[in-house]
Amino acid sequence: MPDPQNDSLLPSEPAQATFHFRPATLSDLPALVNLIDLSIRQLSVGHYTPSQIEGSIGFIFAPDTLLIDDGTYFIIYPSTQPEVIAAAGGWSFRKTLYGGDRAPGRLPARRDPATDRASIRAIFTHPEWSRRGLGSKMLRYCEEAARAGGFQRLEMGSTLTGVKLYEKCGYVRSGVEDVAKLGNGDSLRIVHLNKDL
């Protein structure tokens, strides 16, 4: 598993932008709820309608506390501001592909590394820290953590907002899309993507 204290900057990142990883804890939940809310409201415009955004927050887009309990959800913080959550994301050996604690279709059973793909889960960047490569940095960190957990193949259920980034990082559409029903009667497209490490 990657070492949260010894992450190194990639050559393409400016030297002054130093970020570190740490595991998320249950005490982070209020800040994570706020991060997800701001990220979806500001970064999903143009990909989803206002009704879809409102109906998804706190339902599809919300913290999954099982990831935190499993120790597979992480926070990126700037080295000069350790109290700040600039981005968050994780991976999972559970069968649930996406969604917060209240989302439908949760499958907490464990995946088998010999036959199943691990899932990349819930990568969100705070709008104030967007366009700094934190989403791809978190993605790579989670990929290495999943590899350390015994998985060589990955999958994700991506928002329309994230598909382009994930495809640039080597993920390929599987041909499967979900239409997640929201509590306000609207629905949300989720794109399935795969990657072999």
Side-chain angles (χ1 to χ4, degrees):
M1 179 166 177
D3 182 347
Q5 299 307 316
N6 291 318
D7 60 299
S8 59
L9 288 174
L10 299 173
S12 61
E13 295 175 320
Q16 68 272 20
T18 304
F19 296 93
H20 299 288
F21 292 85
R22 67 172 175 84
T25 67
L26 293 177
S27 65
D28 292 314
L29 281 175
L32 288 171
V33 168
N34 184 60
L35 166 74
I36 293 168
D37 184 286
L38 290 171
S39 180
I40 295 300
R41 288 186 194 282
Q42 295 185 37
L43 302 180
S44 293
V45 173
H47 298 278
Y48 294 112
T49 68
S51 175
Q52 289 173 314
I53 290 171
E54 289 302 319
S56 65
I57 292 173
F59 187 59
I60 298 296
F61 302 130
D64 182 340
T65 53
L66 192 53
L67 296 180
I68 296 175
D69 290 342
D70 288 339
T72 61
Y73 201 66
F74 309 102
I75 284 167
I76 295 179
Y77 64 92
S79 59
T80 57
Q81 298 172 275
E83 74 285 357
V84 168
I85 299 178
W91 74 280
S92 185
F93 52 79
R94 309 278 180 182
K95 290 187 181 276
T96 299
L97 187 59
Y98 58 84
D101 288 344
R102 294 175 44 224
R106 294 178 60 76
L107 301 166
R110 297 177 73 99
R111 298 170 186 245
D112 180 353
T115 57
D116 297 328
R117 295 179 180 272
S119 58
I120 298 295
R121 297 285 311 277
I123 295 178
F124 297 101
T125 302
H126 193 290
E128 292 180 6
W129 296 92
S130 65
R131 309 280 186 256
R132 301 189 191 204
L134 295 185
S136 56
K137 188 174 178 70
M138 177 60 80
L139 179 61
R140 289 190 296 272
Y141 188 82
C142 292
E143 288 174 347
E144 288 307 310
R147 189 198 304 269
F151 289 86
Q152 296 297 319
R153 301 181 306 139
L154 304 171
E155 66 176 340
M156 68 168 67
S158 174
T159 63
L160 300 181
T161 312
V163 168
K164 186 180 290 187
L165 168 65
Y166 299 136
E167 288 180 330
K168 284 182 180 178
C169 293
Y171 286 79
V172 177
R173 296 181 193 227
S174 71
V176 176
E177 289 192 11
D178 293 338
V179 179
K181 299 297 182 185
L182 306 176
N184 65 356
D186 215 325
S187 60
L188 195 81
R189 282 178 59 206
I190 303 289
V191 180
H192 290 225
L193 299 108
N194 295 333
K195 181 178 180 178
D196 294 344
L197 296 176

